[in-house]
C-alpha cells in the first residue's frame, strides 16, 4: 500500500507538467517560455522571493533591494521568509500544482529536481548568454546576460552546481555557500606537538595519539554521517549516485571497505557522530579538556563556526581554535562538499516577470558588496572569487582569529580551498539517497552482529532497496 501511495504522489506531480507545457496565454505563447529577451524598464512588474533569512539577513537584503531599485525602479521585489529549507520546498511543491509558485526561491539541488517533475524551473542558459543591453534608470547600461568575466568570477564548484541535473542545462546560480572544515583545539595541539592531519590515515594516527594523552576523551566528532559517506565516495572516486540511468550506485565493495574502517574507529573510541552522540558534536568540542567525553577535533559546517567557540560562562575562552581543510584520501586531489542555498527562477506566463527575476538574481549573485555584507552577517561563504575587493570584508578576514573571529577564520579556509568543491548528482530521489547512506553509516558503526561483513552488506542492500522504494521504482 505504501509503495502505491508513493507512486500516486509522483504521478500527481507529473500531471502538473501540463500547467507549464500545454497552457497557452495571450499571443499563443506557451506559459513558462520566454517570449522576448527585451526587458521593459518602464512598465511596473512585481516579483516574489521565498527564502529562509532571519531578521538580520532580511535587513541586508532590504538594503540592497533599495540599491537595486535605484537601477530598476519599475521592479518591486516582495520577499518572504518561509521557515527552513524544507519548508520552502514543501510550500513551493504545493503551489506548483496550481501554478502559484513564487518567481525566485532559495533552493538545494534536490529541490530543483522535485520542482522539475512539473518542468517548473526556468533554465538559465539562454539568459546567461543573452547579449542585448539594458539601460538602467541612472543612465548606465548592463548586458542582460553574464559576461565572461562575471562567470569566471564565480567560485567554480559553486557555479557548476547549477548543472548537476544530468541534462547539461543550468538551473541555478549560487547565493551563499558553506562546506565542512576541521575544527581542532589549537592550544592542545601546540602543547602536545601534534600536527594537523591532512589525510584520513594521518587522522587515524592523530586520534590514536590523542587517546594515549587523554584516555577519557573522544578525539573526533563528525557531525554528518551522510556527508562523511558521500565525501569518501567523491575522494576515492567510487560510485555513489547518478542523475541518469541507474540512480543508486553506492552498494559496492570499495564503499563497504571504508565504512568497515570507520566502524573500527568508532569501536576504538576514535570518533563519534551527531546521531550517535545525540547532538551536534560541537557540544563535545567546546567542552573544557578537563571534562570527560570532550573532543579535540570536530568536522562540521563552516557556517556553524559560531557554535564551535569554546567560551566559559564569564566570557573567557577555554582554548584557541584552529581550522583546517578536512582530511583527504589523496591530498593532491582534494574534494570537499559544497552546501548552502542557490537561487532558482520559476517559469511564468509573463516573460517580464522572468526577466525581472533574472536581473535581480544576477544582481545578488554578482554584486561584490552584497556578497561581502551578506557573508559577514550570515557566516556563509560568498560565491565570488574577488569578494576581498570589498575593503571591509578584506580587513575582517585579515583580522580573523581562533576566538571571536572564528566564523571568518572558517571563511578563510573555505576560500583557500575553492578549487576542491564538489556537488553530487541531483534527481528526484537524491535526497533519499543522502538520508539512507547516513543511516547505514550509523547501522554499520554500531552493529553487534557476529558476522560484521554480512551485517554491513545487508545494510547497504537495505539502503538501496529503500531508495528505490521511496522513488517508486
Amino acid at each position: 500500500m505504501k509503495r502505491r501511495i508513493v507512486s500516486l504522489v509522483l504521478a500527481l506531480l507529473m500531471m502538473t507538467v501540463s500547467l507549464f507545457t500545454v497552457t497557452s496565454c495571450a499571443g499563443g505563447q506557451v506559459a513558462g517560455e520566454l517570449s522576448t529577451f527585451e526587458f521593459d524598464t518602464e512598465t511596473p512588474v512585481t516579483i516574489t522571493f521565498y527564502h529562509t533569512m532571519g531578521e538580520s539577513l532580511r535587513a541586508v537584503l532590504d538594503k540592497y533591494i533599495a540599491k537595486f531599485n535605484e537601477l530598476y525602479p519599475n521592479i518591486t521585489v516582495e520577499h518572504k521568509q518561509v521557515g527552513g529549507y524544507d519548508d520552502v520546498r514543501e510550500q513551493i511543491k504545493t503551489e506548483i500544482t496550481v501554478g502559484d509558485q513564487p518567481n525566485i526561491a532559495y533552493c538545494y539541488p534536490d529541490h530543483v529536481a522535485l520542482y522539475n517533475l512539473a518542468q517548473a524551473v526556468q533554465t538559465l542558459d539562454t539568459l546567461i548568454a543573452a547579449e542585448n543591453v539594458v539601460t538602467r534608470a541612472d543612465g548606465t547600461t548592463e548586458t542582460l546576460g553574464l559576461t565572461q568575466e562575471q562567470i569566471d568570477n564565480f567560485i567554480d564548484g559553486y557555479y557548476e552546481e547549477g548543472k548537476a541535473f544530468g541534462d547539461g542545462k543550468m538551473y541555478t546560480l549560487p547565493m551563499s555557500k558553506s562546506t565542512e572544515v576541521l575544527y581542532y583545539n589549537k592550544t592542545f595541539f601546540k602543547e602536545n606537538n601534534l600536527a594537523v592531519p591532512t589525510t584520513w590515515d594521518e587522522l587515524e594516527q592523530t586520534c590514536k595519539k590523542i587517546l594515549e594523552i587523554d584516555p577519557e576523551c573522544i578525539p573526533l566528532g563528525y557531525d554528518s554521517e551522510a556527508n562523511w559517506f558521500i565525501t569518501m565516495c567523491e575522494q576515492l572516486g567510487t560510485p555513489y549516485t547518478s542523475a541518469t540511468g541507474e540512480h543508486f550506485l553506492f552498494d559496492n565493495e570499495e564503499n563497504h571497505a571504508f565504512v568497515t574502517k570507520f566502524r573500527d574507529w568508532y569501536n576504538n573510541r576514535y570518533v563519534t557522530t551527531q546521531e550517535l552522540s545525540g547532538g551536534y558534536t560541537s557540544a563535545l568540542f567546546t567542552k573544557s579538556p578537563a571534562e570527560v567525553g570532550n573532543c579535540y577535533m570536530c568536522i562540521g559546517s563552516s557556517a556553524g563556526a559560531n557554535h564551535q567557540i569554546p567560551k566559559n560562562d564569564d566570557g573567557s575562552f577555554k582554548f584557541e581554535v584552529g581550522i583546517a581543510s578536512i582530511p583527504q584520501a589523496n591530498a593532491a586531489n582534494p574534494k570537499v562538499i559544497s552546501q548552502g542555498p542557490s537561487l532558482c527562477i520559476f517559469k511564468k506566463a509573463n516573460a517580464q516577470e522572468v526577466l525581472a527575476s533574472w536581473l535581480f538574481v544576477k544582481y545578488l549573485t554578482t554584486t561584490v558588496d552584497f556578497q561581502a555584507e551578506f557573508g559577514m552577517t550570515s557566516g556563509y561563504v560568498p560565491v565570488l572569487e574577488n569578494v576581498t575587493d570589498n575593503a571591509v570584508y578584506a580587513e575582517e578576514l585579515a583580522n580573523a582569529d581562533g576566538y571571536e573571529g572564528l566564523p571568518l577564520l572558517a571563511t578563510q579556509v573555505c576560500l583557500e580551498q575553492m578549487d576542491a568543491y564538489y556537488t553530487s548528482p541531483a534527481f528526484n530521489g537524491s535526497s533519499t539517497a543522502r538520508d539512507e547512506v547516513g543511516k547505514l553509516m550509523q547501522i554499520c558503526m554500531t552493529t553487534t552482529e557476529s558476522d560484521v561483513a554480512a551485517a554491513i552488506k545487508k545494510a547497504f542492500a537495505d539502503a538501496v532497496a529503500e531508495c528505490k522504494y521511496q522513488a517508486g521504482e
Side-chain angles (χ1 to χ4, degrees), residues 26 64 70 93 147 152 162 287 293 313 371 427 444 468:
Y64 282 87
E70 292 175 6
K93 181 177 74 173
T147 66
D152 292 342
K287 282 185 173 183
D313 291 339
Q371 283 287 316
F427 54 92
C444 294
K468 291 182 176 181

Side-chain angles (χ1 to χ4, degrees), residues 273-291:
T273 67
Q274 179 182 340
E275 294 299 326
L276 297 180
S277 68
Y280 285 108
T281 58
S282 57
L284 307 179
F285 178 72
T286 54
K287 282 185 173 183
S288 166
E291 298 179 76

